[in-house]
Amino acid sequence: MPAAPAAPAVKRDRTHYLYIAVIAAVALGIAVGLIWPDTGVELKPLGTGFVNLIKMMISPIIFCTIVLGIGSVRKAAKVGAVGGIALGYFLVMSLVALGIGLVVGNILHPGDGLHLTNALKASGHSQVDSEALGPVDFVLSIIPTTFVSAFTEGQVLQTLLIALLAGFALQAMGSVGQPVLRGVEHIQRLVFRILGMIMWAAPVGAFGAIAAVVGSAGLDALKSLAVLMLGFYVTCVLFVFVVLGALLRIVAGLNILTLFKYLAREFLLILSTSSSESALPRLIAKMEHLGVSKAVVGITVPTGYSFNLDGTMIYMTMASLYIADALGTPMSVGEQIPLLLFLLLASKGAAGVSGAGLATLAGGLQSHKPALVDGVGLIVGIDRFMSEARALTNFAGNSVATVLIGTWTKDIDKARMQQVLAGELPFDETTLLDEGASGTPELPEQREELAKA
């Protein structure tokens, strides 16, 4: 009797151990920060270095993703429709986030009874960022000095502009541009392979970042601000699971917990580094693997990282109300709304500025209501802890937005999405790309358009 054929060997996912190491590094970093706070603060460069390594890869990844997405679609109007829907959705969700923060902040009044010292006043004024731009300067700053400087200066919106121009140019070239598209696709594979190598430094980066945060703030500094932190966390949870969860269920028929389980490693990475940018390249790769078209992913994700900052909106709302109460000058609803609408615009002008949450808040208050800048010093000590919730909420908002916009534009392969979320088509962690095809499988209409080319 012939022996039964041997079962094919299952390829072991070594990155499973990588993320176990990240969890262990976070726990160790908290311990070091509590026991040896001075040492913890000195470890900050480890976290900064890791985040900088990730940021180094963002511009080439965005460029390749957008060029391939637009270049593979023959109708320019389709790309414009995706962009228009995305910007409209981002504006609406920013207003919803502001509204929720406004309601919760007026219910809690977390700043009542606090006292402001001269040292804290000075600390608040030091956070006013001279780099925050006005609306006109912001628009002009999107235009890079040279074609190449868009990549060297690390400005996401400048890279976005160059990538859009290159994508539309290749689209207009038709079949003549196909060799260039194939070249860009090979570069994308190289870039993602490099990113996969960088990810092995994640435990070291997470250890340094967490140790520095805990060592600099400590637990005593958090006690008087616990109400604000708790209220902010609860508001973010309500926004994500009630508002975004309901939208995702109604529009795409998808449980938000299922999507977040698929993105669990990205959430862990953000939690350990306090930076949503650290997960941007992985979000692009995973959304394409999920079945969302290249065009939708290439436009929605990079644009969302500048314009769809739901966590930042909630943070600025609650922080403004907290500061006003703490200074003994609570604002009426009539005063709150104009200030928050101003901060909504200011947050777009400061997109890409380092530490944008606190810097934008201070800069916005300085421009619109200078008396409140004194109180920014009250939240400097816990801003890093709140930045984690900001980053997680921003990331959740952009992941949900990508699925929603893909559904609205009918640019998502729902059958593939179900297979991926069920674990039948696992994501290749070693390359951050789907090795089974040339990049992400195109939708049927995309294959037809490519065939016509």
Side-chain angles (χ1 to χ4, degrees):
M1 181 176 178
V10 178
K11 186 178 179 181
R12 183 180 296 275
D13 180 11
R14 292 184 302 158
T15 61
H16 174 72
Y17 303 108
L18 168 63
Y19 288 91
I20 292 178
V22 170
I23 296 173
V26 169
L28 182 61
I30 292 173
V32 169
L34 290 175
I35 300 171
W36 303 290
D38 292 338
T39 302
V41 173
E42 291 176 359
L43 293 172
K44 184 177 180 180
L46 294 178
T48 303
F50 174 72
V51 173
N52 287 344
L53 281 173
I54 298 291
K55 288 182 177 180
M56 174 182 74
M57 307 305 298
I58 288 177
S59 287
I61 286 173
I62 288 177
F63 178 80
C64 293
T65 302
I66 293 177
V67 170
L68 290 173
I70 296 177
S72 62
V73 178
R74 297 269 71 86
K75 297 176 182 176
K78 184 176 182 180
V79 176
V82 171
I85 292 172
L87 289 175
Y89 170 81
F90 295 158
L91 177 60
V92 170
M93 295 313 296
S94 293
L95 291 173
V96 171
L98 283 175
I100 292 176
L102 194 67
V103 171
V104 175
N106 279 292
I107 292 174
L108 292 180
H109 293 289
D112 288 346
L114 291 180
H115 301 285
L116 194 64
T117 65
N118 290 330
L120 284 176
K121 288 182 180 180
S123 177
H125 283 280
S126 69
Q127 297 299 320
V128 178
D129 198 318
S130 59
E131 295 182 57
L133 303 175
V136 176
D137 290 333
F138 167 61
V139 173
L140 291 176
S141 71
I142 297 175
I143 304 173
T145 306
T146 67
F147 190 94
V148 179
S149 66
F151 302 94
T152 58
E153 294 179 4
Q155 297 294 328
V156 171
L157 292 180
Q158 291 185 0
T159 307
L160 183 65
L161 175 63
I162 293 296
L164 287 170
L165 294 174
F168 283 120
L170 286 171
Q171 186 184 71
M173 291 168 65
S175 59
V176 178
Q178 291 304 307
V180 180
L181 281 176
R182 286 194 293 271
V184 173
E185 188 172 8
H186 289 309
I187 294 174
Q188 184 190 50
R189 287 184 172 276
L190 171 65
V191 171
F192 273 119
R193 178 71 73 173
I194 294 173
L195 182 64
M197 295 164 61
I198 291 173
M199 290 307 301
W200 285 97
V204 178
F207 169 70
I210 293 295
V213 171
V214 177
S216 61
L219 294 181
D220 292 338
L222 307 180
K223 290 179 181 177
S224 64
L225 299 164
V227 175
L228 174 63
M229 289 179 61
L230 182 61
F232 178 59
Y233 291 160
V234 169
T235 306
C236 289
V237 168
L238 288 174
F239 176 80
V240 170
F241 289 99
V242 176
V243 178
L244 296 182
L247 268 175
L248 193 62
R249 169 66 74 179
I250 293 170
V251 175
L254 184 62
N255 188 322
I256 197 169
L257 292 176
T258 305
L259 178 63
F260 288 174
K261 181 181 178 183
Y262 172 62
L263 298 171
R265 293 185 174 185
E266 288 67 45
F267 279 110
L268 173 61
L269 184 62
I270 293 170
L271 183 65
S272 60
T273 61
S274 293
S275 171
S276 59
E277 284 187 337
S278 62
L280 187 152
R282 291 180 59 87
L283 179 61
I284 289 174
K286 278 203 160 182
M287 286 293 104
E288 289 188 0
H289 179 74
L290 188 64
V292 185
S293 73
K294 287 178 179 290
V296 170
V297 174
I299 293 171
T300 304
V301 175
T303 308
Y305 262 70
S306 292
F307 292 96
N308 189 35
L309 305 175
D310 300 326
T312 304
M313 294 297 100
I314 296 172
Y315 165 80
M316 290 197 297
T317 304
M318 297 190 67
S320 299
L321 298 181
Y322 171 83
I323 290 170
D325 288 343
L327 293 177
T329 57
M331 294 184 289
S332 65
V333 175
E335 293 175 305
Q336 293 170 16
I337 292 177
L339 171 62
L340 296 176
L341 291 177
F342 178 83
L343 289 174
L344 172 65
L345 296 176
S347 69
K348 313 310 180 191
V353 176
S354 178
L358 192 61
T360 303
L361 174 65
L365 292 177
Q366 175 69 31
S367 301
H368 193 80
K369 206 170 180 65
L372 295 182
V373 179
D374 289 347
V376 175
L378 285 167
I379 60 174
V380 171
I382 62 162
D383 178 71
R384 184 59 185 268
F385 288 90
M386 296 177 74
S387 74
E388 293 176 348
R390 281 201 306 267
L392 290 169
T393 305
N394 290 342
F395 180 81
N398 285 315
S399 62
V400 170
T402 307
V403 176
L404 292 178
I405 293 169
T407 303
W408 284 325
T409 59
K410 297 181 173 58
D411 278 344
I412 185 170
D413 188 336
K414 291 191 175 181
R416 179 183 175 86
M417 180 177 69
Q418 296 301 329
Q419 287 181 301
V420 170
L421 295 178
E424 297 172 11
L425 292 174
F427 181 73
D428 190 338
E429 293 282 350
T430 60
T431 62
L432 298 181
L433 283 172
D434 178 14
E435 291 287 4
S438 178
T440 303
E442 283 85 5
L443 300 178
E445 62 188 77
Q446 288 178 303
R447 287 196 294 268
E448 182 180 345
E449 290 167 350
L450 282 174
K452 290 179 180 177

